Amino acid sequence: MSASRTSLSLLRNLVPYKTQTQAVTYMPRPGDGSPRPVTLIPGDGIGPLVTNAVEQVMEAMHAPVYFEKYQVHGDMKQIPEEVIDSIRKNKVCLKGGLRTPKGGGVSSLNLHLRRELDLYASLVDCCNLPGLPTRHENVDIVVIRENTEGEYSGLEHEVVPGVVESLKVITKFCSERIAKYAFEYAYLNNRKKVTAVHKANIMKLADGLFLESCREVAARYPTIKYDEIIVDNCCMQLVSKPEQFDVMITPNLYGNLVANTAAGIAGGTGVMPGGNVGAEHAVFEQGASAGNVGKKKMVEQKTANPLALLLSSAMMLRHLQFPAFANRLEEAVKNVILEGKYRTKDLGGDSTTQQVVDAVIAKIG
């Protein structure tokens, strides 16, 4: 299978949980029920808590997956080669957050993983969930973020003492492929609009190239409305009228900011699933990066919210061609949220991680 066809296949399987229905019986291919290996990286902070939650739920469901677990921590100099080899072999990974040290010249292992596997598209699904009150209704936003360049290129140096230069890199190739991904996503999911987020009024060459690529791809999809918005205005519009947005396509840094803002508006980072995908591999994790490592007190009290990673694991199950298991897990999570009896502190409750996990397992049963 060609890289482009493989990427399209992965795209279909990254469809967020809320848009999935099972109107027609799923007909598996012979052998589709064979258990699939998945690389598991518990990570730092709350990562071991929430990945253990997924392990418990998968076991309770008798889901046809098994995990190859590796210990990776954000203070390592690099991701061990055996971990990269495992993901290359299995094609799929589930991970908790990896803490990135601030300053000190230590590079982010999250970035290392995305570049090593060319996970060029990040997808975060931000929508209202029944039973979870928010300031705004009818929020249904999918943020698709270019994952490999921009301000995250890691090209920094000290010109002279006290003067640091950090380079933002935008290429035609990367801008065009993320635009193709966003419009394919919109087309496959019956989305009506794609909005490109930019700062081309100031960064005329870099963000100008990004917009040029988006416009060229948009011309191939006449049934999908295309518009553009400057990133500062975008943030203001998000917090005042988020319902106006549908699919949002962004360069790297803006996407991180927009996705976390949209997640906060829609109900919080603890319930927003996401994933990173390339032509050959996919890594599923909590959708919005804010809070994915958590605070020390949360780890000690074991009160981390596992729902975002559980929903991301449902996306993973569908990606692995196990739609019935994905549907069962999604429905269980949504029913726990709707019932409102078991909620962690970020959702206004006082439940522990394990109490929420037990509630989800009970709904599945």
Side-chain angles (χ1 to χ4, degrees):
M1 182 181 289
S2 69
S4 60
R5 290 183 63 191
T6 303
S7 180
L8 187 57
S9 175
L10 290 171
L11 173 63
R12 292 191 180 103
N13 292 306
L14 268 172
V15 175
Y17 62 94
K18 64 182 172 47
T19 63
Q20 290 290 326
T21 57
Q22 198 172 5
V24 179
T25 299
Y26 169 63
M27 185 175 73
R29 298 162 297 185
D32 271 0
S34 301
R36 293 284 302 276
V38 173
T39 305
L40 178 65
I41 301 175
D44 297 317
I46 66 171
L49 271 175
V50 295
T51 54
N52 178 256
V54 174
E55 290 183 276
Q56 290 184 60
V57 171
M58 293 295 175
E59 183 177 356
M61 294 175 67
H62 303 289
V65 299
Y66 62 94
F67 294 107
E68 296 179 359
K69 188 183 298 186
Y70 292 90
Q71 295 302 325
V72 179
H73 301 287
D75 57 0
M76 292 179 171
K77 291 185 178 179
Q78 62 182 16
I79 296 177
E81 194 61 36
E82 60 266 25
V83 180
I84 298 295
D85 290 342
S86 174
I87 301 174
R88 290 192 191 280
K89 172 177 65 73
N90 297 333
K91 307 295 185 184
V92 176
C93 173
L94 182 74
K95 67 179 283 290
L98 293 175
R99 181 177 284 109
T100 300
K102 298 178 180 67
V106 179
S107 62
S108 167
L109 294 190
N110 294 300
L111 294 183
H112 179 120
L113 188 63
R114 294 167 193 162
R115 290 177 187 156
E116 187 70 25
L117 300 172
D118 197 24
L119 304 171
Y120 68 85
S122 166
L123 184 149
V124 181
D125 181 35
C126 306
C127 68
N128 293 128
L129 294 167
L132 190 61
T134 60
R135 290 178 179 272
H136 298 277
E137 297 180 354
N138 303 315
V139 178
D140 186 7
I141 302 169
V142 173
V143 181
I144 294 177
R145 163 192 175 193
E146 203 291 317
N147 230 3
T148 61
E149 57 176 19
E151 292 87 351
Y152 288 32
S153 299
L155 301 175
E156 294 185 310
H157 65 277
E158 189 174 43
V159 182
V160 295
V163 179
V164 173
E165 189 173 61
S166 180
L167 302 181
K168 171 177 177 174
V169 177
I170 297 289
T171 66
K172 179 73 170 180
F173 173 79
C174 290
S175 297
E176 190 172 77
R177 70 176 179 175
I178 196 64
K180 288 178 180 177
Y181 185 90
F183 277 91
E184 283 180 348
Y185 174 88
Y187 171 69
L188 291 173
N189 290 280
N190 195 30
R191 294 280 185 160
K192 305 303 181 185
K193 183 171 70 170
V194 173
T195 301
V197 182
H198 67 94
K199 191 65 176 174
N201 57 324
I202 302 299
M203 285 169 273
K204 299 182 184 297
L205 293 180
D207 285 22
L209 179 59
F210 176 77
L211 286 184
E212 176 185 305
S213 301
C214 291
R215 291 166 185 167
E216 289 175 359
V217 175
R220 306 171 201 167
Y221 292 86
T223 61
I224 298 173
K225 182 180 178 182
Y226 170 71
D227 62 8
E228 301 166 356
I229 188 168
I230 296 173
V231 63
D232 38 351
N233 183 32
C234 173
C235 293
M236 188 273 289
Q237 295 291 335
L238 268 175
V239 298
S240 58
K241 295 178 60 181
E243 65 278 0
Q244 68 183 288
F245 295 108
D246 191 349
V247 175
M248 305 180 76
I249 175 177
T250 76
N252 208 334
L253 176 61
Y254 309 155
N256 196 8
L257 305 177
V258 168
N260 281 278
T261 302
I265 290 166
T269 61
V271 290
M272 301 300 153
N276 304 279
V277 65
E280 299 291 339
H281 310 94
V283 175
F284 296 87
E285 58 188 335
Q286 179 174 309
S289 61
N292 67 351
V293 173
K295 298 180 179 179
K296 184 177 180 180
K297 186 177 180 181
M298 188 185 299
V299 176
E300 292 173 347
Q301 296 179 345
K302 298 183 178 180
T303 56
N305 189 343
L307 296 182
L309 197 65
L310 285 172
L311 290 170
S312 296
S313 67
M315 291 173 64
M316 179 191 74
L317 286 171
R318 188 165 290 106
H319 172 75
L320 291 170
Q321 301 293 332
F322 300 132
F325 287 92
N327 291 341
R328 288 171 59 198
L329 177 52
E330 291 162 7
E331 287 302 314
V333 170
K334 287 190 285 186
N335 284 333
V336 168
I337 293 172
L338 181 61
E339 191 175 79
K341 186 176 180 181
Y342 296 99
R343 290 183 178 176
T344 48
K345 187 177 180 179
D346 60 308
L347 299 184
D350 58 4
S351 300
T352 65
T353 305
Q354 191 58 51
Q355 287 174 324
V356 175
V357 172
D358 292 341
V360 171
I361 289 174
K363 295 295 183 184
I364 290 172

